[in-house]
Amino acid sequence: MADPFEVRQRFTTLLSHLSASHTSLQKAALYALKNREMDEDLHSCILEQLERTNMNTRANIMFFIECLCEMAIKDSAGDGRGIDGSAMGYVRMLQRDILRVVECVVGEEGANVRVVRKVLQTLQARTILLPETVSELEAVLKSREVEHGFMSASPGMKNGSAKMDKRQIEQRIEEDRERHKRLRESIWAVPGEDEQEMDKLWEEASDIGEDDYVVAREDREEREQAIKFG
């Protein structure tokens, strides 16, 4: 069994460096599934990252949650990867903590409403969330829209009451562009390519390399600097 501290460190690093790339989301999800015996600890890592990171990473974590739930259900149904029903623990914990997740992703600045709404609709369509739950969460989203004074059609950038960091906004625009590009490409995807890529990521998911420790150390140092000079 892998060292719990190393697993948490590796998973936290994967979450903090998520991007709009589907490969990035899948890699983190596969790592969580491979270490499903620590599902409660890894779920707590997700919540911790949502509470401490910026609006763009929170949006990426929301898409990661969608990816993780879909892959957990598929693998729990017997997809040939040796994952048993315990992988559903991630889904059950998400269902339990979905309000907390939504509030964290939207954040104090009221960003990411459109992202959250899109993921909730997908989770409902996959029967991961009940329609009643999504309706209740939609009321929360609408209240945030009114509170922060931006239209739901916007990508969460035109916020009337919170000043967004310019670099974060530019990054968000680029990541939205990447997601739209991937959506178009998926229409023309060749059958079998996704499975091959998944197999490759599955083999790599459990590896903890020296670079992971370097990145984790740099992240810790950056947080310490932010606290020191904040």
Side-chain angles (χ1 to χ4, degrees), residues 27-167:
K27 186 174 182 179
L30 284 171
Y31 188 79
L33 293 177
K34 268 206 165 184
N35 294 280
R36 64 195 183 281
E37 69 279 359
M38 290 182 57
D39 56 1
E40 291 187 15
D41 282 338
L42 298 187
H43 179 73
S44 70
C45 288
I46 295 172
L47 297 178
E48 289 169 6
Q49 283 300 301
L50 284 175
E51 290 173 349
R52 69 174 54 164
T53 193
N54 62 49
M55 68 172 188
N56 291 332
T57 304
R58 295 200 306 269
N60 289 329
I61 291 177
M62 192 69 190
F63 284 113
F64 156 77
I65 288 172
E66 174 189 329
C67 180
L68 175 60
C69 287
E70 291 182 349
M71 291 172 63
I73 290 174
K74 185 179 297 184
D75 284 330
S76 295
D79 201 28
R81 298 182 186 277
I83 300 296
D84 58 28
S86 65
M88 287 298 292
Y90 290 112
V91 177
R92 288 190 289 270
M93 285 183 283
L94 167 73
Q95 293 168 332
R96 180 193 68 200
D97 296 330
I98 187 61
L99 175 59
R100 181 178 175 185
V101 168
V102 167
E103 290 180 333
C104 285
V105 176
V106 174
E108 294 181 358
E109 72 273 23
N112 296 325
V113 168
R114 194 174 72 165
V115 167
V116 172
R117 182 172 285 129
K118 181 180 184 301
V119 172
L120 290 179
Q121 290 171 350
T122 300
L123 295 178
Q124 178 181 334
R126 301 284 192 275
T127 67
I128 295 170
L129 292 178
L130 295 173
E132 308 90 271
T133 301
V134 175
S135 295
E136 292 173 359
L137 293 170
E138 176 61 28
V140 174
L141 296 180
K142 287 183 178 179
S143 69
R144 291 298 181 93
E145 288 176 334
V146 172
E147 178 182 351
H148 292 284
F150 58 82
M151 301 299 293
S152 60
S154 77
M157 301 302 159
K158 298 177 180 179
N159 189 317
S161 61
K163 294 182 179 180
M164 303 277 185
D165 180 82
K166 182 179 179 180
R167 182 181 59 81

